Amino acid sequence: MMQFINSKETLVTEAIDGLIRTSGGLLARLDGFPHIRVVVRADWDRSKVALVSGGGSGHEPSHAGFVGQGLLTAAVCGDVFASPSVDAVLAGILAVTGKAGCLLIVKNYTGDRLNFGLAAERARAFGHKVSMVIVDDDVALPDLPQARGVAGTLFVHKIAGALAEAGADLDTVTAAARKVIAGAASIGMSLDTCTVPGSPKELRIDPGKAELGLGIHGEAGVEQVDFATARAAMAMVVDRLSPHVAPGNHVALLNNLGGTTPLEMSVLAEELARSALRDRVKWLVGPAAMMTSLDMHGFSISILPVEADQVAALAAPVGPHAWPGLAALGEVAVRPLPDGLTPIQPLPSAHPARRALIEDCCRALIAAEADLNALDAKSGDGDTGSTLAGAARALIAALDRLPLADPTQLYRAIGTELSQTMGGSSGVLLAIFFAAAGDASAGGKDLIGAMQAGLERVMQVGGAKPGDRTMIDALAPALQALPGGVAAASGAARSGADRTAQMTRAKAGRASYLSQDKLAGHKDPGAEGVARLFQALASR
């Protein structure tokens, strides 16, 4: 898999320098590349307790991204998923530790424990006060003698960081860190493994499966489970966390493992708010990428029972922008539509034949969803089928409230329904089509005349015409042939849609952005949708 790197050997050092260059002067690094890679606060004066953390790279923004006011004083960076050396850790400790002392925050992996532990001993030999805490928040593997340290480590960084920034002594900061560690619990889920630079991707997770309880270094999880929806995935994760939820209020940290889109993370946040933990989780950190696993398509949840002082520490302002802040997990605020946008609902009326006609049209579009998406993926963003099918489902759901017996009002009502439920340019163009058809019907036009008026308005507003490689290339000939019957219209629509495969220049829509070789041999999905619609009508 291609990645935006120069070489795996220089990846970490170049990334550190890139981070420092863009920090606005707030960060610096120690000399010693490539063996010593330590990012430090540029404004540190050693008068307060220093917080040092780190470990293998690949978890960005952890750990260097959390160096700054109110969080870490220094981060020691190893190679990707590899612990830094003893000398590197010792360099970090000596660079930032003054009379107030230093707290090392270490995730519970053997390499980190050994290297940070030995560095602490050597720093004490230099006369420094150094405490060390081990984070072991992962609850995925209950039989593991030593639980792993994962994203719950960020609770420790934040609460200990707030206390250190406020001037607390080393014993107070250490005790607060240990209290957080005792209460924190985390578990993750992923749909795919991560891609380690310079190594082939491990294709471990079967299609249709998700891995529950995997580690942040790509370690296999406790089991592979069937994946269905975000809701089901969240329910499984919450079920594993629930035995570790104590009485009282909690804060949750919703962490993106690196490759999950912000859209997906917001859905997961909503599902967490609806989950079995909804009455316990009062605050949320995220959703955001905080402790990632390179490009892993997954998420993790960390929970922590909190008291008032811990909430205050989590909410305290910090310098690093990687920390997303603490927010109360509240209700969805809904306000009424502005005046003029709340639609006037027409009086519903029954007409069995028209109802059946509309249902058949809608079901034809729903049946074509996958095919049209695949076709659109050749020239667009792969959603034409879903857009049309979504509108069709909404129209079926609205049938009971439509004025089916009044063609004029029916056209207008369909236009209004599509403008509300159908996104993209297709939605507004079809809304214009049916609104114009309603106006023409009110002026005495029959069905064919009303449809022709709708087409003319769409061409006028949208700017497309026959030959521009759009749905009009199927719709215009179909309406022209419709006086000869539905079968003739269906044949004309099919011929028009097929001709778009030979059109290598699109003059409207997303396809107009593509080169000729991307369009050749592929029909326009909108035109194909029109052809499928008339085909279904002809087969009634």
Side-chain angles (χ1 to χ4, degrees), residues 190-192 203-211 224-227:
S190 184
L191 300 177
D192 199 3
L203 303 177
R204 184 179 68 239
I205 303 177
D206 298 328
K209 296 285 189 177
E211 195 160 73
Q224 288 193 15
V225 296
D226 292 330
F227 177 79

Side-chain angles (χ1 to χ4, degrees), residues 466-513:
D468 285 353
R469 203 182 189 278
T470 69
M471 68 176 180
I472 291 172
D473 288 298
L475 184 57
L479 294 182
Q480 188 174 4
L482 190 55
V486 177
S490 176
R494 170 49 58 202
S495 296
D498 290 347
R499 279 195 298 271
T500 62
Q502 280 71 55
M503 297 178 184
T504 57
R505 174 82 183 275
K507 299 177 182 177
R510 284 194 180 92
S512 63
Y513 308 141

Side-chain angles (χ1 to χ4, degrees), residues 175-188:
R178 287 177 175 150
K179 183 177 180 180
V180 173
I181 293 168
S186 302
I187 191 170

Side-chain angles (χ1 to χ4, degrees), residues 10-327:
T10 62
L11 170 60
V12 176
T13 55
E14 290 170 350
I16 288 173
D17 279 352
L19 174 69
I20 293 171
R21 286 184 193 277
T22 57
S23 70
L26 298 176
L27 301 178
R29 67 170 170 86
L30 301 185
D31 199 359
F33 269 6
H35 304 297
I36 292 177
R37 293 167 291 200
V38 179
V39 177
V40 298
R41 285 179 59 172
D43 61 347
W44 189 243
D45 62 5
R46 299 195 189 194
S47 64
K48 299 175 183 177
V49 171
L51 265 61
V52 177
S53 190
S57 297
H59 305 301
E60 288 70 23
S62 292
H63 299 83
F66 292 115
V67 174
Q69 180 183 1
L71 279 165
L72 299 179
T73 316
V76 190
C77 307
D79 288 325
V80 172
F81 295 167
S83 176
S85 67
V86 174
D87 282 356
V89 178
L90 180 60
I93 297 171
L94 297 180
V96 297
T97 303
K99 292 182 179 179
C102 172
L103 173 64
L104 300 184
I105 302 171
V106 183
K107 298 186 301 300
N108 195 20
Y109 294 93
T110 301
D112 288 347
R113 290 185 63 152
L114 292 175
N115 286 295
F116 278 81
L118 182 53
E121 292 297 331
R122 290 175 60 182
R124 293 184 189 112
F126 280 107
H128 292 290
K129 294 192 297 182
V130 180
S131 294
M132 187 170 85
V133 294
I134 307 293
V135 186
D136 56 356
D137 55 308
D138 187 9
V139 298
L141 304 170
D143 297 328
L144 199 66
Q146 294 184 348
R148 300 173 293 200
V150 287
T153 307
L154 299 170
F155 287 139
V156 185
H157 290 171
K158 184 64 182 71
I159 292 175
L163 290 173
E165 192 69 37
D169 62 28
L170 181 60
D171 289 342
T172 301
V173 174
T174 303
R178 287 177 175 150
K179 183 177 180 180
V180 173
I181 293 168
S186 302
I187 191 170
M189 175 183 280
S190 184
L191 300 177
D192 199 3
T193 55
C194 58
T195 307
V196 179
S199 300
K201 186 178 179 69
E202 182 184 4
L203 303 177
R204 184 179 68 239
I205 303 177
D206 298 328
K209 296 285 189 177
E211 195 160 73
L212 181 63
L214 71 177
I216 57 172
H217 305 105
E219 307 99 319
V222 62
E223 63 179 314
Q224 288 193 15
V225 296
D226 292 330
F227 177 79
T229 63
R231 181 167 300 166
M234 181 60 68
M236 281 187 277
V237 169
V238 166
D239 181 66
R240 298 302 176 97
L241 281 175
S242 293
H244 305 275
V245 177
N249 295 332
H250 288 67
V251 58
L253 185 146
L254 182 52
N255 176 51
N256 184 342
L257 286 170
T260 311
T261 64
L263 196 63
E264 292 170 281
M265 293 304 298
S266 291
V267 172
L268 290 167
E270 172 64 8
E271 293 308 325
L272 175 61
R274 294 178 175 185
S275 74
L277 293 179
R278 60 185 176 272
D279 295 329
R280 293 290 179 87
V281 175
K282 304 299 183 183
W283 300 274
L284 184 66
V285 177
M290 292 172 275
M291 185 170 287
T292 63
S293 183
L294 293 170
D295 60 346
M296 187 177 287
H297 190 183
F299 71 97
S300 68
I301 296 179
S302 304
I303 56 170
L304 178 71
V306 285
E307 299 172 0
D309 59 330
Q310 293 173 310
V311 175
L314 289 167
V318 297
H321 59 77
W323 178 256
L326 180 75

